[in-house]
Amino acid sequence: MKAQRNVQRASVSLFSGAGIGDLGVEYGCNIPVEFFAEFVGERGDLIRENFRGRKVIPGDLETTYKTVIKEWNTKYRNKNPMLITLSPPCQGMSTNGAGKIASQVRQGKRPVYDKRNKLLLHGLEVVKKLMPEYVLIENVPGMKNTVIMWKKKQPRQLLRLIEEVLPKGYKFISFVVDFADFEVPHHRKRLITMGKWMNEDYDTKLDLQESPPDWIRKHYKTPVSIKHTITDLC
């Protein structure tokens, strides 16, 4: 008989920034964001203002990810979060292919790896230990093609490591959306990668799609201009 999961309606935010996106989780999805992990101190201060009484874990996730796991288990022992969100730094993301990356490393023109790109893997360690019902990874479209140097210095596609790092149980889908398709008066394309817990026998897989699935596209709105958005303001 399969083990019964005990899901807590709460979220963990990794690479939280100032917590602006988490306001959508808290108030748009009605999922309380209980724990935040953020490197920049001033951003953490803003999170504390907007989310009174919640826990902000400061510092580099490379060293604090174990603290995130410990804090969750202390408060919600034996429960799985409903959601974990990850928005790792995008500055190191590259659209170069694996062959070019390896060539540049051999020529000494590129470091063996960009430390910032590997931060996602520390975030996935939190996912691995807490096993949430849903996972949401948000980043620039270039993340889809970003390659890092993996074990034995082999170039690997970053997102594909989800299938290796996480245990069985998850179904992932990844696609690019433009905020302008949702009545935001601004073209801003982001790569959205979502994971859903299936069951412990399900081989964790990632489906990289060229365009958003139909169940996303059906929510598209007619684009609006900045003029249309702000004309009625003073």
Side-chain angles (χ1 to χ4, degrees):
M1 191 172 91
K2 295 180 181 179
Q4 184 70 32
R5 281 167 59 84
N6 190 357
V7 178
Q8 175 68 34
R9 190 176 184 84
S11 173
V12 177
S13 172
L14 307 178
F15 315 102
S16 305
I20 304 302
D22 297 301
L23 292 171
V25 174
E26 177 99 5
Y27 299 106
C29 302
N30 193 28
I31 302 175
V33 186
E34 295 287 353
F35 298 97
F36 300 82
E38 172 51 38
F39 177 71
V40 180
E42 290 141 337
R43 296 173 183 170
D45 291 340
L46 183 56
I47 292 172
R48 292 183 184 93
E49 286 294 318
N50 286 329
F51 298 86
R52 298 294 179 91
R54 308 298 171 77
K55 183 74 173 183
V56 178
I57 300 163
D60 191 331
L61 196 69
E62 182 179 4
T63 57
T64 64
Y65 76 93
K66 291 182 180 179
T67 304
V68 176
I69 296 167
K70 181 181 177 181
E71 291 285 353
W72 173 272
N73 285 331
T74 298
K75 185 169 183 177
Y76 296 117
R77 192 174 302 277
N78 299 323
K79 291 187 177 182
N80 308 101
M82 178 166 283
L83 172 68
I84 292 181
T85 59
L86 306 93
S87 296
C90 64
Q91 295 91 337
M93 300 297 174
S94 171
T95 56
N96 289 334
K100 187 172 183 179
I101 293 282
S103 175
Q104 290 175 335
V105 169
R106 287 193 295 268
Q107 296 172 35
K109 296 179 180 179
R110 186 185 185 95
V112 174
Y113 62 86
D114 189 312
K115 182 178 178 180
R116 293 170 297 185
N117 290 350
K118 299 192 90 172
L119 284 172
L120 174 65
L121 301 181
H122 297 298
L124 291 178
E125 283 298 317
V126 179
V127 175
K128 181 179 177 180
K129 294 296 183 181
L130 301 185
M131 300 294 283
E133 191 75 1
Y134 296 95
V135 182
L136 174 63
I137 305 170
E138 175 271 338
N139 215 290
V140 295
M143 186 186 200
K144 181 169 63 173
N145 301 314
T146 294
V147 173
I148 67 169
M149 300 306 288
W150 185 232
K151 296 176 180 178
K152 297 183 179 179
K153 298 184 179 179
Q154 293 299 312
R156 293 294 305 276
Q157 191 175 7
L158 178 61
L159 278 181
R160 285 296 174 193
L161 291 177
I162 289 173
E163 299 172 328
E164 294 192 33
V165 172
L166 295 186
K168 284 186 173 185
Y170 285 98
K171 179 178 182 180
F172 278 85
I173 182 173
S174 189
F175 50 87
V176 174
V177 297
D178 186 343
F179 287 2
D181 291 324
F182 301 93
E183 289 189 311
V184 176
H186 171 57
H187 284 288
R188 184 174 178 81
K189 292 186 176 181
R190 306 300 285 181
L191 180 71
I192 303 298
T193 304
M194 297 187 294
K196 167 73 171 70
W197 171 260
M198 305 301 286
N199 60 68
E200 58 264 35
D201 298 325
Y202 188 91
D203 287 332
T204 294
K205 294 293 183 183
L206 170 66
D207 182 10
L208 276 168
Q209 299 199 354
E210 291 299 319
S211 59
D214 290 340
W215 54 271
I216 291 289
R217 295 170 64 88
K218 73 178 183 179
H219 294 289
Y220 279 6
K221 306 292 184 182
T222 303
V224 296
S225 65
I226 293 178
K227 179 181 177 180
H228 172 82
T229 306
I230 67 174
T231 343
D232 59 341
L233 300 180
C234 295

